[in-house]
Amino acid sequence: MSDVQPIFIGGEWRAGRGKVYATRYPADDTVNAELTAATAEDANEAIEAADAAWRRPNWRDIKPHERAGILHRIAGLIRERSEDLAQMQRRDNGKPITETRALVASAAGTFQFFAAACETLEETITPPRGDFLTFSINDPMGVVAAITPWNSPIASEAQKLAPALAAGCAVILKPAEITPLLALELGRICEQAGVPKGVVSVLPGKGSIVGDAIVRHPKVRKVAFTGGTTTGRALAHAAAEKLMPVSLELGGKSPTIVFEDADIDHAVAGVLFGIFSSSGESCIAGSRLFVHKKIHKEFMQRLVEATKALRVGDPVDVKTQMGPLISSSHRASIESYVELGLKEGGKILAGGTRPTGGLYDKGWFYLPTVFEGLSNNARLCQEEIFGPVLVTLPWEDEDDLIAQANDSVYGLAAGLWTRDFRRAWRVARRLEAGTAWINTYKLFSVSTPFGGLKESGLGREKGRLGILQYMDQKSLYFGMNENPLPWAEVGSKH
Ligand code: NAD
């Protein structure tokens, strides 16, 4: 077993006060790293240090271009170490190496983007309404927390850390207990890039212990959370007690719609990528597939054939399209959904089982699975499975299709495949989703806001104004009148 790694508390690398625990590689269940969990006491220490650190002149008073310089250095260090980080993330959560390389590149791009946002953010002079000048300015909120899930570590962490640092905040980063390594590396990179001591802390550990302590701490001014809807709701309740803003990126059950005029080659590839990349462990997975009745049979034949040909295997191999699932308990939960689908009257067209032999017997692999014969009311169509399970639903009437697509507690994303631009515009406008992809799926750009509707979340991340999520708006009035107010007329007669 490897040595116990330190964690990053208030600018010091040391053991947390919690249990020593091991993280494991999902492809073969070997130990990845041993580290200590942070406790509520560690959280208090980190938050107190952060509260002092963000007020110091070396962080509070530096100019936007200087802060941007630090963010550029972080981006540069991520790029210098990109292969290292990609391999680390592959072991951390078992994603194929091609995916983790892309995530690392996107994390570097996120820091670069928010460096630019920081350097170019303008404050405004508002229109005069009297003998005064009015300004609307933005101040850093202070200590903010970023709480992230296990499915895309470095990308979801960068998505919060970069805008928060760009805003001038101090950040308490709390990665998922089982995938802490990339967050800790980001802590090291921030330190190397010149982020002052105490401005960033990284506290791995249990959500119910260290996560809860962070959320409830009076000095934490905002929490940016990505994770499950149930956790997000609990967190929002705790935040309401403190009247603290939260941004919540939560679960999804996204519809993908194929129209009768779709380019079938593009649609088949896009649907497969939309649901089966990241082994379906993706909030935006296109897990409900609506195919027009006219082409349903032909489309499904192509899709099922292509599903069976997907390369499930060793995450090290650049040809691998689907790696293992995150853990044995998560695979068990997916298996119970597959059993449920059969009980609900569904028929399996592909997958529905574990692959066997060699590496397959050591890790948490599961075959990409396609169901038909279920209605949109089935639990398989209403609940987030967070795994490689697709349900196909034929449709005929556009209004009915939209009603079914919107009949979900979630509203994170949607996909449309059609050659008809007017129809794409019309349908995309009517879908209740934070993001709709047209003739593509699961593309991401840091310059474009992202977030969910309904139980998929609150608030938006990314985009140039994503930096404002970590700032308080403040108004300044400068009196310009040459004469004093008529309130202290010393010597005047009453
Ligand atoms: P989770 O909700 O169990 O955990 C997310 C994070 O919250 C972890 O760091 C966890 O330790 C922490 N946490 C748990 N309980 C807490 C508490 N009481 N107080 C504070 N923090 C607490 O989610 P998960 O299983 O790690 O991730 C999967 C979920 O994340 C899925 O539902 C998925 O859809 C969602 N997700 C959403 C997005 C998005 O952008 N919308 C992206 C990725 C994942």
mmCIF file of all heavy atoms in Angstrom, residues 360-386:
data_model
loop_
_atom_site.group_PDB
_atom_site.id
_atom_site.type_symbol
_atom_site.label_atom_id
_atom_site.label_comp_id
_atom_site.label_asym_id
_atom_site.label_seq_id
_atom_site.Cartn_x
_atom_site.Cartn_y
_atom_site.Cartn_z
ATOM 1 N N TYR A 360 -12.409 -7.856 -17.039
ATOM 2 C CA TYR A 360 -13.836 -7.713 -16.724
ATOM 3 C C TYR A 360 -14.186 -8.315 -15.355
ATOM 4 O O TYR A 360 -15.101 -7.851 -14.680
ATOM 5 C CB TYR A 360 -14.697 -8.409 -17.777
ATOM 6 C CG TYR A 360 -14.675 -7.767 -19.151
ATOM 7 C CD1 TYR A 360 -14.802 -8.561 -20.297
ATOM 8 C CD2 TYR A 360 -14.564 -6.392 -19.309
ATOM 9 C CE1 TYR A 360 -14.802 -7.988 -21.563
ATOM 10 C CE2 TYR A 360 -14.549 -5.813 -20.566
ATOM 11 C CZ TYR A 360 -14.677 -6.612 -21.693
ATOM 12 O OH TYR A 360 -14.678 -6.044 -22.929
ATOM 13 N N ASP A 361 -13.464 -9.385 -14.982
ATOM 14 C CA ASP A 361 -13.800 -10.047 -13.712
ATOM 15 C C ASP A 361 -13.204 -9.322 -12.501
ATOM 16 O O ASP A 361 -13.550 -9.625 -11.359
ATOM 17 C CB ASP A 361 -13.297 -11.501 -13.726
ATOM 18 C CG ASP A 361 -14.012 -12.313 -14.796
ATOM 19 O OD1 ASP A 361 -15.126 -11.900 -15.191
ATOM 20 O OD2 ASP A 361 -13.456 -13.328 -15.252
ATOM 21 N N LYS A 362 -12.299 -8.381 -12.788
ATOM 22 C CA LYS A 362 -11.651 -7.695 -11.648
ATOM 23 C C LYS A 362 -12.321 -6.366 -11.326
ATOM 24 O O LYS A 362 -12.273 -5.894 -10.199
ATOM 25 C CB LYS A 362 -10.188 -7.411 -11.992
ATOM 26 C CG LYS A 362 -9.363 -8.660 -12.157
ATOM 27 C CD LYS A 362 -7.919 -8.272 -12.332
ATOM 28 C CE LYS A 362 -7.061 -9.508 -12.553
ATOM 29 N NZ LYS A 362 -5.837 -9.191 -13.265
ATOM 30 N N GLY A 363 -12.887 -5.711 -12.344
ATOM 31 C CA GLY A 363 -13.425 -4.361 -12.126
ATOM 32 C C GLY A 363 -14.944 -4.328 -12.234
ATOM 33 O O GLY A 363 -15.600 -5.363 -12.296
ATOM 34 N N TRP A 364 -15.480 -3.092 -12.282
ATOM 35 C CA TRP A 364 -16.935 -2.920 -12.162
ATOM 36 C C TRP A 364 -17.573 -2.639 -13.537
ATOM 37 O O TRP A 364 -18.267 -1.654 -13.723
ATOM 38 C CB TRP A 364 -17.250 -1.800 -11.168
ATOM 39 C CG TRP A 364 -16.365 -1.865 -9.957
ATOM 40 C CD1 TRP A 364 -15.534 -0.900 -9.496
ATOM 41 C CD2 TRP A 364 -16.211 -2.977 -9.073
ATOM 42 N NE1 TRP A 364 -14.864 -1.335 -8.393
ATOM 43 C CE2 TRP A 364 -15.262 -2.607 -8.097
ATOM 44 C CE3 TRP A 364 -16.775 -4.262 -9.002
ATOM 45 C CZ2 TRP A 364 -14.873 -3.464 -7.077
ATOM 46 C CZ3 TRP A 364 -16.372 -5.114 -7.981
ATOM 47 C CH2 TRP A 364 -15.440 -4.711 -7.034
ATOM 48 N N PHE A 365 -17.290 -3.552 -14.480
ATOM 49 C CA PHE A 365 -17.761 -3.351 -15.857
ATOM 50 C C PHE A 365 -19.229 -3.751 -16.011
ATOM 51 O O PHE A 365 -19.734 -4.637 -15.314
ATOM 52 C CB PHE A 365 -16.902 -4.169 -16.822
ATOM 53 C CG PHE A 365 -15.479 -3.677 -16.887
ATOM 54 C CD1 PHE A 365 -14.512 -4.178 -16.012
ATOM 55 C CD2 PHE A 365 -15.106 -2.699 -17.799
ATOM 56 C CE1 PHE A 365 -13.208 -3.709 -16.048
ATOM 57 C CE2 PHE A 365 -13.798 -2.223 -17.847
ATOM 58 C CZ PHE A 365 -12.853 -2.736 -16.971
ATOM 59 N N TYR A 366 -19.894 -3.085 -16.956
ATOM 60 C CA TYR A 366 -21.285 -3.444 -17.293
ATOM 61 C C TYR A 366 -21.495 -3.110 -18.767
ATOM 62 O O TYR A 366 -20.968 -2.098 -19.263
ATOM 63 C CB TYR A 366 -22.281 -2.644 -16.429
ATOM 64 C CG TYR A 366 -23.655 -3.279 -16.434
ATOM 65 C CD1 TYR A 366 -23.920 -4.402 -15.661
ATOM 66 C CD2 TYR A 366 -24.679 -2.770 -17.231
ATOM 67 C CE1 TYR A 366 -25.157 -5.012 -15.677
ATOM 68 C CE2 TYR A 366 -25.931 -3.374 -17.247
ATOM 69 C CZ TYR A 366 -26.158 -4.493 -16.471
ATOM 70 O OH TYR A 366 -27.389 -5.107 -16.499
ATOM 71 N N LEU A 367 -22.237 -3.946 -19.467
ATOM 72 C CA LEU A 367 -22.398 -3.717 -20.901
ATOM 73 C C LEU A 367 -23.415 -2.605 -21.178
ATOM 74 O O LEU A 367 -24.391 -2.447 -20.439
ATOM 75 C CB LEU A 367 -22.875 -5.006 -21.584
ATOM 76 C CG LEU A 367 -21.821 -6.108 -21.696
ATOM 77 C CD1 LEU A 367 -22.430 -7.369 -22.314
ATOM 78 C CD2 LEU A 367 -20.614 -5.648 -22.512
ATOM 79 N N PRO A 368 -23.200 -1.846 -22.270
ATOM 80 C CA PRO A 368 -24.183 -0.824 -22.640
ATOM 81 C C PRO A 368 -25.520 -1.502 -22.945
ATOM 82 O O PRO A 368 -25.565 -2.506 -23.661
ATOM 83 C CB PRO A 368 -23.579 -0.180 -23.893
ATOM 84 C CG PRO A 368 -22.542 -1.126 -24.384
ATOM 85 C CD PRO A 368 -22.064 -1.906 -23.207
ATOM 86 N N THR A 369 -26.557 -0.946 -22.365
ATOM 87 C CA THR A 369 -27.853 -1.637 -22.338
ATOM 88 C C THR A 369 -28.947 -0.789 -22.981
ATOM 89 O O THR A 369 -29.041 0.409 -22.701
ATOM 90 C CB THR A 369 -28.196 -1.946 -20.858
ATOM 91 O OG1 THR A 369 -27.170 -2.785 -20.347
ATOM 92 C CG2 THR A 369 -29.551 -2.612 -20.693
ATOM 93 N N VAL A 370 -29.751 -1.454 -23.833
ATOM 94 C CA VAL A 370 -30.854 -0.735 -24.483
ATOM 95 C C VAL A 370 -32.164 -1.469 -24.186
ATOM 96 O O VAL A 370 -32.261 -2.689 -24.373
ATOM 97 C CB VAL A 370 -30.645 -0.668 -26.019
ATOM 98 C CG1 VAL A 370 -31.781 0.100 -26.685
ATOM 99 C CG2 VAL A 370 -29.298 -0.036 -26.358
ATOM 100 N N PHE A 371 -33.136 -0.704 -23.735
ATOM 101 C CA PHE A 371 -34.472 -1.232 -23.439
ATOM 102 C C PHE A 371 -35.483 -0.699 -24.444
ATOM 103 O O PHE A 371 -35.388 0.453 -24.869
ATOM 104 C CB PHE A 371 -34.940 -0.715 -22.070
ATOM 105 C CG PHE A 371 -34.691 -1.644 -20.929
ATOM 106 C CD1 PHE A 371 -33.576 -1.484 -20.120
ATOM 107 C CD2 PHE A 371 -35.588 -2.671 -20.632
ATOM 108 C CE1 PHE A 371 -33.347 -2.325 -19.046
ATOM 109 C CE2 PHE A 371 -35.372 -3.515 -19.555
ATOM 110 C CZ PHE A 371 -34.244 -3.346 -18.758
ATOM 111 N N GLU A 372 -36.495 -1.511 -24.752
ATOM 112 C CA GLU A 372 -37.675 -0.984 -25.429
ATOM 113 C C GLU A 372 -38.914 -1.526 -24.708
ATOM 114 O O GLU A 372 -38.811 -2.380 -23.832
ATOM 115 C CB GLU A 372 -37.706 -1.365 -26.919
ATOM 116 C CG GLU A 372 -37.956 -2.820 -27.189
ATOM 117 C CD GLU A 372 -38.251 -3.121 -28.664
ATOM 118 O OE1 GLU A 372 -38.177 -2.215 -29.512
ATOM 119 O OE2 GLU A 372 -38.537 -4.291 -28.942
ATOM 120 N N GLY A 373 -40.086 -1.012 -25.098
ATOM 121 C CA GLY A 373 -41.334 -1.556 -24.558
ATOM 122 C C GLY A 373 -41.758 -0.939 -23.237
ATOM 123 O O GLY A 373 -42.649 -1.465 -22.566
ATOM 124 N N LEU A 374 -41.122 0.164 -22.841
ATOM 125 C CA LEU A 374 -41.545 0.834 -21.597
ATOM 126 C C LEU A 374 -42.234 2.149 -21.952
ATOM 127 O O LEU A 374 -41.995 2.716 -23.021
ATOM 128 C CB LEU A 374 -40.313 1.132 -20.737
ATOM 129 C CG LEU A 374 -39.632 -0.093 -20.135
ATOM 130 C CD1 LEU A 374 -38.258 0.272 -19.586
ATOM 131 C CD2 LEU A 374 -40.494 -0.689 -19.015
ATOM 132 N N SER A 375 -43.080 2.629 -21.053
ATOM 133 C CA SER A 375 -43.701 3.928 -21.319
ATOM 134 C C SER A 375 -42.911 4.989 -20.565
ATOM 135 O O SER A 375 -42.136 4.683 -19.649
ATOM 136 C CB SER A 375 -45.158 3.929 -20.866
ATOM 137 O OG SER A 375 -45.191 4.156 -19.487
ATOM 138 N N ASN A 376 -43.153 6.238 -20.930
ATOM 139 C CA ASN A 376 -42.427 7.333 -20.282
ATOM 140 C C ASN A 376 -42.742 7.434 -18.788
ATOM 141 O O ASN A 376 -42.027 8.075 -18.037
ATOM 142 C CB ASN A 376 -42.742 8.656 -20.997
ATOM 143 C CG ASN A 376 -41.844 9.771 -20.523
ATOM 144 O OD1 ASN A 376 -40.621 9.644 -20.527
ATOM 145 N ND2 ASN A 376 -42.439 10.858 -20.073
ATOM 146 N N ASN A 377 -43.850 6.775 -18.360
ATOM 147 C CA ASN A 377 -44.176 6.793 -16.919
ATOM 148 C C ASN A 377 -43.381 5.765 -16.122
ATOM 149 O O ASN A 377 -43.386 5.790 -14.895
ATOM 150 C CB ASN A 377 -45.657 6.432 -16.682
ATOM 151 C CG ASN A 377 -46.552 7.408 -17.365
ATOM 152 O OD1 ASN A 377 -46.218 8.578 -17.431
ATOM 153 N ND2 ASN A 377 -47.678 6.928 -17.896
ATOM 154 N N ALA A 378 -42.740 4.829 -16.811
ATOM 155 C CA ALA A 378 -42.010 3.773 -16.094
ATOM 156 C C ALA A 378 -40.917 4.404 -15.240
ATOM 157 O O ALA A 378 -40.387 5.466 -15.578
ATOM 158 C CB ALA A 378 -41.391 2.810 -17.111
ATOM 159 N N ARG A 379 -40.584 3.744 -14.148
ATOM 160 C CA ARG A 379 -39.526 4.298 -13.269
ATOM 161 C C ARG A 379 -38.201 4.426 -14.013
ATOM 162 O O ARG A 379 -37.444 5.342 -13.768
ATOM 163 C CB ARG A 379 -39.357 3.421 -12.024
ATOM 164 C CG ARG A 379 -40.421 3.740 -10.970
ATOM 165 C CD ARG A 379 -40.229 2.920 -9.720
ATOM 166 N NE ARG A 379 -38.908 3.102 -9.106
ATOM 167 C CZ ARG A 379 -38.413 2.296 -8.174
ATOM 168 N NH1 ARG A 379 -39.117 1.261 -7.749
ATOM 169 N NH2 ARG A 379 -37.222 2.520 -7.653
ATOM 170 N N LEU A 380 -37.979 3.501 -14.973
ATOM 171 C CA LEU A 380 -36.735 3.575 -15.748
ATOM 172 C C LEU A 380 -36.645 4.844 -16.584
ATOM 173 O O LEU A 380 -35.558 5.257 -16.987
ATOM 174 C CB LEU A 380 -36.596 2.353 -16.669
ATOM 175 C CG LEU A 380 -35.440 1.423 -16.295
ATOM 176 C CD1 LEU A 380 -35.666 0.797 -14.941
ATOM 177 C CD2 LEU A 380 -35.221 0.359 -17.358
ATOM 178 N N CYS A 381 -37.815 5.437 -16.875
ATOM 179 C CA CYS A 381 -37.819 6.670 -17.670
ATOM 180 C C CYS A 381 -37.921 7.913 -16.792
ATOM 181 O O CYS A 381 -37.804 9.029 -17.282
ATOM 182 C CB CYS A 381 -38.989 6.662 -18.653
ATOM 183 S SG CYS A 381 -38.773 5.444 -19.924
ATOM 184 N N GLN A 382 -38.209 7.717 -15.530
ATOM 185 C CA GLN A 382 -38.414 8.868 -14.650
ATOM 186 C C GLN A 382 -37.269 9.077 -13.665
ATOM 187 O O GLN A 382 -37.069 10.176 -13.176
ATOM 188 C CB GLN A 382 -39.738 8.706 -13.879
ATOM 189 C CG GLN A 382 -40.973 8.823 -14.767
ATOM 190 C CD GLN A 382 -41.133 10.238 -15.339
ATOM 191 O OE1 GLN A 382 -40.878 11.220 -14.667
ATOM 192 N NE2 GLN A 382 -41.538 10.325 -16.599
ATOM 193 N N GLU A 383 -36.538 7.997 -13.358
ATOM 194 C CA GLU A 383 -35.491 8.120 -12.325
ATOM 195 C C GLU A 383 -34.108 8.144 -12.964
ATOM 196 O O GLU A 383 -33.864 7.459 -13.958
ATOM 197 C CB GLU A 383 -35.601 6.944 -11.341
ATOM 198 C CG GLU A 383 -36.898 7.017 -10.566
ATOM 199 C CD GLU A 383 -37.128 5.827 -9.634
ATOM 200 O OE1 GLU A 383 -36.154 5.132 -9.278
ATOM 201 O OE2 GLU A 383 -38.298 5.608 -9.270
ATOM 202 N N GLU A 384 -33.218 8.913 -12.362
ATOM 203 C CA GLU A 384 -31.853 8.974 -12.882
ATOM 204 C C GLU A 384 -31.117 7.698 -12.497
ATOM 205 O O GLU A 384 -30.989 7.376 -11.320
ATOM 206 C CB GLU A 384 -31.116 10.190 -12.294
ATOM 207 C CG GLU A 384 -29.752 10.361 -12.907
ATOM 208 C CD GLU A 384 -28.932 11.467 -12.261
ATOM 209 O OE1 GLU A 384 -28.898 11.553 -11.028
ATOM 210 O OE2 GLU A 384 -28.306 12.239 -13.021
ATOM 211 N N ILE A 385 -30.639 6.956 -13.501
ATOM 212 C CA ILE A 385 -29.929 5.695 -13.237
ATOM 213 C C ILE A 385 -28.430 5.969 -13.084
ATOM 214 O O ILE A 385 -27.737 5.315 -12.342
ATOM 215 C CB ILE A 385 -30.211 4.679 -14.371
ATOM 216 C CG1 ILE A 385 -31.722 4.381 -14.418
ATOM 217 C CG2 ILE A 385 -29.400 3.406 -14.173
ATOM 218 C CD1 ILE A 385 -32.163 3.517 -15.577
ATOM 219 N N PHE A 386 -27.927 6.960 -13.818
ATOM 220 C CA PHE A 386 -26.509 7.341 -13.787
ATOM 221 C C PHE A 386 -25.631 6.174 -14.232
ATOM 222 O O PHE A 386 -24.599 5.881 -13.640
ATOM 223 C CB PHE A 386 -26.124 7.819 -12.385
ATOM 224 C CG PHE A 386 -25.165 8.975 -12.421
ATOM 225 C CD1 PHE A 386 -25.491 10.148 -13.082
ATOM 226 C CD2 PHE A 386 -23.921 8.909 -11.797
ATOM 227 C CE1 PHE A 386 -24.610 11.221 -13.126
ATOM 228 C CE2 PHE A 386 -23.022 9.972 -11.838
ATOM 229 C CZ PHE A 386 -23.375 11.131 -12.512
#
